[in-house]
Amino acid sequence: KKLDADTILLQPKSNEGGAKGVLGGLCLDYDAQVGGPSKYMIGTEQGAILGCNRKGKTAAEKIPHTYNAHHGPVYAIQRNPHHPKYFLSIGDWTARLWYEDFKITPMYTSFYHKCHLTSGCWHPQRAGVFFTTRMDGCLDAWDLLNRQSTAVASLQVSDYALHSIRSTNEGRHVAVGAVDGSVTLVELSPSLYTPMPNEKVNVGKMFDNESSRDKNLEKAAKEKKTQQKKQRQSQTNGDIASVIDDSTLQGLADGYLGDVHHTHANEEQSLEDVVKRRMKLMDDIAEGLELEGQ
């Protein structure tokens, strides 16, 4: 049976503050049992993560989410198998945890390592445990319920840079690949593969608290931005009103002075006419007296 091909151009419609144009895909995460049959994620060479939807009809619907995740190529992405709305990304010098509905900043970022991180994966049985590999050949194990600032365990696996990592289904071993072509099977300690009491619930609460905090910060930032925009508009309107008021006052002043000058001119003309009539009257009176004397 011929498989149906689904082709998508890795060119997000909008990516504010991130890479533009067609992006190069580097890694893929698709698990129908975790993210759903239509959702998958692509890590790119430009550091962006694309959240894709197979059910989309248009280009914008096929790539509804874009996360500007890392400063360089994204080497690994994976949804948390117990809480699929949260996913892990590996790139540059950090490992980052993201909430699917919050694209601005990661929910959690590890410290910047001295060498690049190359891959990572979640533990299949423990909701708060994940692993990362490094260019210096080290494997790190992270337990979020135990400690978030640093890894709980580190192991020098190879003298060569590690390149990939996968966990067995039962979670007692991890297989690590290096750039020299070797594969090392590492056995984990019981403290790393044995789930803690109510771990899934506790990790879910921790993730929800962090995501709620990020949402509140985003809301506060948007409200502050809106308030600043309104203040700028109000200031602009005030300046315009000030200009209009000044021009109006100047127009009224000019009109008043014009009326004064016009009235003054009319008064001078009237006075001049009165003087002329008076002189004429006096001339007429003088002529009349001369006639009586004759």
Side-chain angles (χ1 to χ4, degrees), residues 155-186:
L155 175 66
Q156 183 76 38
V157 177
S158 173
D159 293 332
Y160 295 92
L162 302 182
H163 187 265
S164 59
I165 182 172
R166 285 293 181 273
S167 173
T168 56
N169 292 332
E170 77 281 357
R172 297 194 176 193
H173 301 82
V174 291
V176 183
V179 295
D180 65 337
S182 64
V183 178
T184 304
L185 188 64
V186 180

Side-chain angles (χ1 to χ4, degrees), residues 206-218:
M206 181 179 65
F207 285 172
D208 290 341
N209 291 336
E210 290 294 327
S211 60
S212 298
R213 179 182 64 86
D214 290 340
K215 284 184 176 181
N216 291 334
L217 291 175
E218 180 188 22

Side-chain angles (χ1 to χ4, degrees), residues 226-244:
T226 302
Q227 186 177 4
Q228 290 176 348
K229 184 177 180 180
K230 289 182 178 180
Q231 289 177 353
R232 288 195 297 268
Q233 290 179 347
S234 177
Q235 183 177 0
T236 302
N237 294 334
D239 294 340
I240 294 174
S242 177
V243 172
I244 293 174

